[in-house]
Amino acid sequence: MKCDKKDLLLYAVTDRSWLNGATLYEQVEQALKGGATFIQLREKELEEKQFLEEAIEIKKLCKRYQVPFVINDNVDIALAMDADGVHVGQSDMEAGDVREKLGEDKIIGVSAQTVEQAVLAEMRGADYLGVGAVFPTGSKADADDVSHETLKAICEAVHIPVVAIGGISRNNVEQLSGSGIDGIAVISAIFAQPDIEQATAELKARTKKALNL
């Protein structure tokens, strides 16, 4: 499965901080019903066995909605359960090594904060970039801010799709207009909302408007 830039329009990253009695599976399904175009399973605390079981279930769900499903950071889990791909940060496994492990047909996303990191990731085989934090964010305390100018410069420097991430909400997404991005990645703007399906649908509409789609 290769990465189509239209799949990256509304990229939902999971977080179990806001389950409030629901399961992650139920929340992901609500996001998919609302129109999420890409799902990344992000688990920092779960045991490998549980992570693997959860990943297998959510992959089936994404397949039903025909939405790409990638694993955050954990290349071994992605390989074990045949995810559509993996997203790695600058401190994780390098894109070329990930490609060697996962094979040519998998999607590899790489986080980048600078033009240099972005160009290098593309050169080493990344299929798309996650660039941020474009706004202050609570979900990653160590996320460096990326200015609008840098975001634009990254979009101009690479030929692969760019997804903005970090602190994006329905109230500020339109500020990203004209930056050259292909989509946005969000966590709390979807999963912390009382009505996930509605929040996703509204955010998708606003994102389309910001990107003139």
Side-chain angles (χ1 to χ4, degrees):
M1 176 182 227
K2 267 320 195 187
C3 196
D4 188 326
K5 82 175 186 185
K6 67 177 189 306
D7 292 334
L8 295 163
L9 177 69
L10 184 52
Y11 185 132
V13 182
T14 68
D15 190 325
R16 46 182 57 249
S17 308
W18 303 288
L19 290 180
N20 295 327
T23 65
L24 197 68
Y25 183 94
E26 287 164 347
Q27 290 201 336
V28 171
E29 182 152 36
Q30 287 174 343
L32 289 165
K33 280 181 179 165
T37 59
F38 203 103
I39 301 289
Q40 180 193 126
L41 183 62
R42 182 171 181 255
E43 289 291 3
K44 297 293 187 188
E45 314 295 331
L46 224 52
E47 296 282 322
E48 291 276 303
K49 184 175 175 288
Q50 285 172 288
F51 190 174
L52 184 62
E53 286 166 4
E54 179 181 76
I56 290 166
E57 287 308 304
I58 292 178
K59 179 197 168 189
K60 286 180 197 159
L61 177 63
C62 291
K63 200 167 182 180
R64 216 168 71 220
Y65 283 85
Q66 296 178 307
V67 165
F69 172 70
V70 300
I71 301 286
N72 180 62
D73 291 351
N74 197 319
V75 180
D76 293 332
I77 290 269
L79 193 63
M81 49 69 61
D82 194 27
D84 295 320
V86 74
H87 185 93
V88 291
Q90 285 293 320
S91 57
D92 302 311
M93 195 187 285
E94 191 271 317
D97 298 333
V98 179
R99 175 68 68 210
E100 219 164 273
K101 253 187 133 165
L102 290 187
E104 284 307 312
D105 61 331
K106 297 299 185 189
I107 299 168
I108 296 175
V110 176
S111 299
Q113 276 86 33
T114 65
V115 171
E116 292 74 23
Q117 288 174 355
V119 169
L120 190 61
E122 179 178 33
M123 207 167 76
R124 293 196 171 147
D127 293 300
Y128 74 88
L129 300 171
V131 176
V134 293
F135 299 111
T137 172
S139 61
K140 286 193 89 167
D142 60 346
D144 291 327
D145 286 350
V146 172
S147 69
H148 193 82
E149 292 72 33
T150 301
L151 179 62
K152 207 171 170 184
I154 287 173
C155 291
E156 287 166 3
V158 298
H159 305 97
I160 53 176
V162 172
V163 177
I165 190 165
I168 302 168
S169 72
R170 56 192 277 277
N171 301 321
N172 62 19
V173 66
E174 283 166 39
Q175 292 175 34
L176 297 170
S177 187
S179 59
I181 58 168
D182 297 286
I184 61 164
V186 294
I187 304 177
S188 60
I190 287 179
F191 293 112
Q193 305 312 307
D195 186 333
I196 290 172
E197 188 177 336
Q198 189 191 337
T200 307
E202 188 183 351
L203 189 59
K204 189 176 186 179
R206 289 184 182 223
T207 305
K208 281 182 161 175
K209 192 176 163 194
L211 303 189
N212 292 319
L213 296 175

PDB file of all heavy atoms in Angstrom, residues 107-126:
ATOM      1  N   ILE A 107       4.108   2.013   4.064  1.00  0.00           N
ATOM      2  CA  ILE A 107       4.160   3.472   4.212  1.00  0.00           C
ATOM      3  C   ILE A 107       5.100   3.830   5.361  1.00  0.00           C
ATOM      4  O   ILE A 107       4.958   3.296   6.467  1.00  0.00           O
ATOM      5  CB  ILE A 107       2.753   4.029   4.531  1.00  0.00           C
ATOM      6  CG1 ILE A 107       1.763   3.711   3.406  1.00  0.00           C
ATOM      7  CG2 ILE A 107       2.808   5.539   4.787  1.00  0.00           C
ATOM      8  CD1 ILE A 107       0.301   3.971   3.790  1.00  0.00           C
ATOM      9  N   ILE A 108       6.031   4.724   5.101  1.00  0.00           N
ATOM     10  CA  ILE A 108       6.916   5.188   6.169  1.00  0.00           C
ATOM     11  C   ILE A 108       6.787   6.699   6.311  1.00  0.00           C
ATOM     12  O   ILE A 108       7.015   7.443   5.365  1.00  0.00           O
ATOM     13  CB  ILE A 108       8.387   4.791   5.895  1.00  0.00           C
ATOM     14  CG1 ILE A 108       8.525   3.265   5.897  1.00  0.00           C
ATOM     15  CG2 ILE A 108       9.310   5.415   6.953  1.00  0.00           C
ATOM     16  CD1 ILE A 108       9.889   2.761   5.519  1.00  0.00           C
ATOM     17  N   GLY A 109       6.383   7.100   7.508  1.00  0.00           N
ATOM     18  CA  GLY A 109       6.292   8.527   7.823  1.00  0.00           C
ATOM     19  C   GLY A 109       7.406   8.893   8.779  1.00  0.00           C
ATOM     20  O   GLY A 109       7.798   8.090   9.635  1.00  0.00           O
ATOM     21  N   VAL A 110       7.941  10.107   8.628  1.00  0.00           N
ATOM     22  CA  VAL A 110       9.032  10.563   9.485  1.00  0.00           C
ATOM     23  C   VAL A 110       8.714  11.957  10.023  1.00  0.00           C
ATOM     24  O   VAL A 110       8.243  12.812   9.270  1.00  0.00           O
ATOM     25  CB  VAL A 110      10.373  10.599   8.700  1.00  0.00           C
ATOM     26  CG1 VAL A 110      11.503  11.161   9.563  1.00  0.00           C
ATOM     27  CG2 VAL A 110      10.754   9.202   8.212  1.00  0.00           C
ATOM     28  N   SER A 111       8.977  12.164  11.306  1.00  0.00           N
ATOM     29  CA  SER A 111       8.804  13.492  11.896  1.00  0.00           C
ATOM     30  C   SER A 111       9.991  14.373  11.518  1.00  0.00           C
ATOM     31  O   SER A 111      11.139  13.905  11.523  1.00  0.00           O
ATOM     32  CB  SER A 111       8.743  13.396  13.425  1.00  0.00           C
ATOM     33  OG  SER A 111       7.641  12.607  13.812  1.00  0.00           O
ATOM     34  N   ALA A 112       9.717  15.629  11.212  1.00  0.00           N
ATOM     35  CA  ALA A 112      10.800  16.566  10.870  1.00  0.00           C
ATOM     36  C   ALA A 112      10.476  17.950  11.417  1.00  0.00           C
ATOM     37  O   ALA A 112       9.313  18.358  11.449  1.00  0.00           O
ATOM     38  CB  ALA A 112      10.980  16.637   9.358  1.00  0.00           C
ATOM     39  N   GLN A 113      11.523  18.654  11.848  1.00  0.00           N
ATOM     40  CA  GLN A 113      11.347  20.022  12.347  1.00  0.00           C
ATOM     41  C   GLN A 113      12.097  21.048  11.502  1.00  0.00           C
ATOM     42  O   GLN A 113      11.884  22.241  11.645  1.00  0.00           O
ATOM     43  CB  GLN A 113      11.869  20.146  13.795  1.00  0.00           C
ATOM     44  CG  GLN A 113      10.878  19.729  14.863  1.00  0.00           C
ATOM     45  CD  GLN A 113      10.917  18.231  15.130  1.00  0.00           C
ATOM     46  OE1 GLN A 113      11.953  17.607  15.037  1.00  0.00           O
ATOM     47  NE2 GLN A 113       9.761  17.660  15.429  1.00  0.00           N
ATOM     48  N   THR A 114      13.008  20.559  10.656  1.00  0.00           N
ATOM     49  CA  THR A 114      13.825  21.479   9.857  1.00  0.00           C
ATOM     50  C   THR A 114      13.844  21.040   8.393  1.00  0.00           C
ATOM     51  O   THR A 114      13.546  19.874   8.088  1.00  0.00           O
ATOM     52  CB  THR A 114      15.289  21.492  10.349  1.00  0.00           C
ATOM     53  OG1 THR A 114      15.861  20.186  10.110  1.00  0.00           O
ATOM     54  CG2 THR A 114      15.393  21.822  11.831  1.00  0.00           C
ATOM     55  N   VAL A 115      14.231  21.952   7.521  1.00  0.00           N
ATOM     56  CA  VAL A 115      14.348  21.627   6.093  1.00  0.00           C
ATOM     57  C   VAL A 115      15.369  20.512   5.902  1.00  0.00           C
ATOM     58  O   VAL A 115      15.153  19.575   5.131  1.00  0.00           O
ATOM     59  CB  VAL A 115      14.731  22.889   5.271  1.00  0.00           C
ATOM     60  CG1 VAL A 115      15.077  22.512   3.837  1.00  0.00           C
ATOM     61  CG2 VAL A 115      13.593  23.905   5.297  1.00  0.00           C
ATOM     62  N   GLU A 116      16.483  20.572   6.645  1.00  0.00           N
ATOM     63  CA  GLU A 116      17.534  19.551   6.510  1.00  0.00           C
ATOM     64  C   GLU A 116      17.003  18.167   6.859  1.00  0.00           C
ATOM     65  O   GLU A 116      17.231  17.194   6.135  1.00  0.00           O
ATOM     66  CB  GLU A 116      18.734  19.876   7.433  1.00  0.00           C
ATOM     67  CG  GLU A 116      19.540  21.100   7.051  1.00  0.00           C
ATOM     68  CD  GLU A 116      18.821  22.434   7.360  1.00  0.00           C
ATOM     69  OE1 GLU A 116      17.929  22.472   8.231  1.00  0.00           O
ATOM     70  OE2 GLU A 116      19.144  23.431   6.704  1.00  0.00           O
ATOM     71  N   GLN A 117      16.287  18.080   7.980  1.00  0.00           N
ATOM     72  CA  GLN A 117      15.719  16.780   8.395  1.00  0.00           C
ATOM     73  C   GLN A 117      14.720  16.278   7.358  1.00  0.00           C
ATOM     74  O   GLN A 117      14.665  15.080   7.052  1.00  0.00           O
ATOM     75  CB  GLN A 117      14.998  16.928   9.742  1.00  0.00           C
ATOM     76  CG  GLN A 117      15.924  17.114  10.925  1.00  0.00           C
ATOM     77  CD  GLN A 117      15.163  17.392  12.218  1.00  0.00           C
ATOM     78  OE1 GLN A 117      13.937  17.546  12.214  1.00  0.00           O
ATOM     79  NE2 GLN A 117      15.874  17.465  13.330  1.00  0.00           N
ATOM     80  N   ALA A 118      13.936  17.190   6.815  1.00  0.00           N
ATOM     81  CA  ALA A 118      12.905  16.823   5.836  1.00  0.00           C
ATOM     82  C   ALA A 118      13.524  16.272   4.555  1.00  0.00           C
ATOM     83  O   ALA A 118      13.109  15.220   4.045  1.00  0.00           O
ATOM     84  CB  ALA A 118      12.036  18.038   5.520  1.00  0.00           C
ATOM     85  N   VAL A 119      14.526  16.977   4.054  1.00  0.00           N
ATOM     86  CA  VAL A 119      15.185  16.566   2.801  1.00  0.00           C
ATOM     87  C   VAL A 119      15.877  15.209   2.994  1.00  0.00           C
ATOM     88  O   VAL A 119      15.804  14.327   2.130  1.00  0.00           O
ATOM     89  CB  VAL A 119      16.183  17.655   2.336  1.00  0.00           C
ATOM     90  CG1 VAL A 119      17.067  17.159   1.197  1.00  0.00           C
ATOM     91  CG2 VAL A 119      15.422  18.917   1.914  1.00  0.00           C
ATOM     92  N   LEU A 120      16.517  15.037   4.135  1.00  0.00           N
ATOM     93  CA  LEU A 120      17.211  13.783   4.438  1.00  0.00           C
ATOM     94  C   LEU A 120      16.217  12.621   4.537  1.00  0.00           C
ATOM     95  O   LEU A 120      16.455  11.537   4.000  1.00  0.00           O
ATOM     96  CB  LEU A 120      17.991  13.935   5.749  1.00  0.00           C
ATOM     97  CG  LEU A 120      18.969  12.807   6.088  1.00  0.00           C
ATOM     98  CD1 LEU A 120      20.053  12.658   5.022  1.00  0.00           C
ATOM     99  CD2 LEU A 120      19.602  13.056   7.453  1.00  0.00           C
ATOM    100  N   ALA A 121      15.091  12.863   5.203  1.00  0.00           N
ATOM    101  CA  ALA A 121      14.073  11.807   5.348  1.00  0.00           C
ATOM    102  C   ALA A 121      13.548  11.383   3.978  1.00  0.00           C
ATOM    103  O   ALA A 121      13.382  10.191   3.701  1.00  0.00           O
ATOM    104  CB  ALA A 121      12.925  12.298   6.226  1.00  0.00           C
ATOM    105  N   GLU A 122      13.299  12.369   3.103  1.00  0.00           N
ATOM    106  CA  GLU A 122      12.833  12.033   1.748  1.00  0.00           C
ATOM    107  C   GLU A 122      13.890  11.220   1.005  1.00  0.00           C
ATOM    108  O   GLU A 122      13.584  10.212   0.365  1.00  0.00           O
ATOM    109  CB  GLU A 122      12.506  13.305   0.966  1.00  0.00           C
ATOM    110  CG  GLU A 122      12.034  12.990  -0.448  1.00  0.00           C
ATOM    111  CD  GLU A 122      11.642  14.217  -1.257  1.00  0.00           C
ATOM    112  OE1 GLU A 122      12.238  15.283  -1.071  1.00  0.00           O
ATOM    113  OE2 GLU A 122      10.730  14.095  -2.084  1.00  0.00           O
ATOM    114  N   MET A 123      15.134  11.656   1.126  1.00  0.00           N
ATOM    115  CA  MET A 123      16.233  10.973   0.434  1.00  0.00           C
ATOM    116  C   MET A 123      16.361   9.518   0.888  1.00  0.00           C
ATOM    117  O   MET A 123      16.689   8.630   0.117  1.00  0.00           O
ATOM    118  CB  MET A 123      17.528  11.720   0.764  1.00  0.00           C
ATOM    119  CG  MET A 123      18.607  11.623  -0.264  1.00  0.00           C
ATOM    120  SD  MET A 123      19.882  12.860   0.121  1.00  0.00           S
ATOM    121  CE  MET A 123      20.727  12.100   1.492  1.00  0.00           C
ATOM    122  N   ARG A 124      16.062   9.286   2.168  1.00  0.00           N
ATOM    123  CA  ARG A 124      16.206   7.936   2.732  1.00  0.00           C
ATOM    124  C   ARG A 124      14.950   7.093   2.585  1.00  0.00           C
ATOM    125  O   ARG A 124      14.856   6.008   3.145  1.00  0.00           O
ATOM    126  CB  ARG A 124      16.620   8.049   4.200  1.00  0.00           C
ATOM    127  CG  ARG A 124      18.031   8.629   4.289  1.00  0.00           C
ATOM    128  CD  ARG A 124      18.647   8.409   5.636  1.00  0.00           C
ATOM    129  NE  ARG A 124      20.048   8.777   5.626  1.00  0.00           N
ATOM    130  CZ  ARG A 124      20.692   9.283   6.667  1.00  0.00           C
ATOM    131  NH1 ARG A 124      20.052   9.500   7.802  1.00  0.00           N
ATOM    132  NH2 ARG A 124      21.974   9.569   6.588  1.00  0.00           N
ATOM    133  N   GLY A 125      13.950   7.613   1.879  1.00  0.00           N
ATOM    134  CA  GLY A 125      12.817   6.756   1.548  1.00  0.00           C
ATOM    135  C   GLY A 125      11.515   7.013   2.279  1.00  0.00           C
ATOM    136  O   GLY A 125      10.597   6.197   2.204  1.00  0.00           O
ATOM    137  N   ALA A 126      11.410   8.126   3.010  1.00  0.00           N
ATOM    138  CA  ALA A 126      10.132   8.429   3.672  1.00  0.00           C
ATOM    139  C   ALA A 126       9.058   8.673   2.623  1.00  0.00           C
ATOM    140  O   ALA A 126       9.326   9.231   1.559  1.00  0.00           O
ATOM    141  CB  ALA A 126      10.283   9.663   4.558  1.00  0.00           C
TER     142      ALA A 126
END
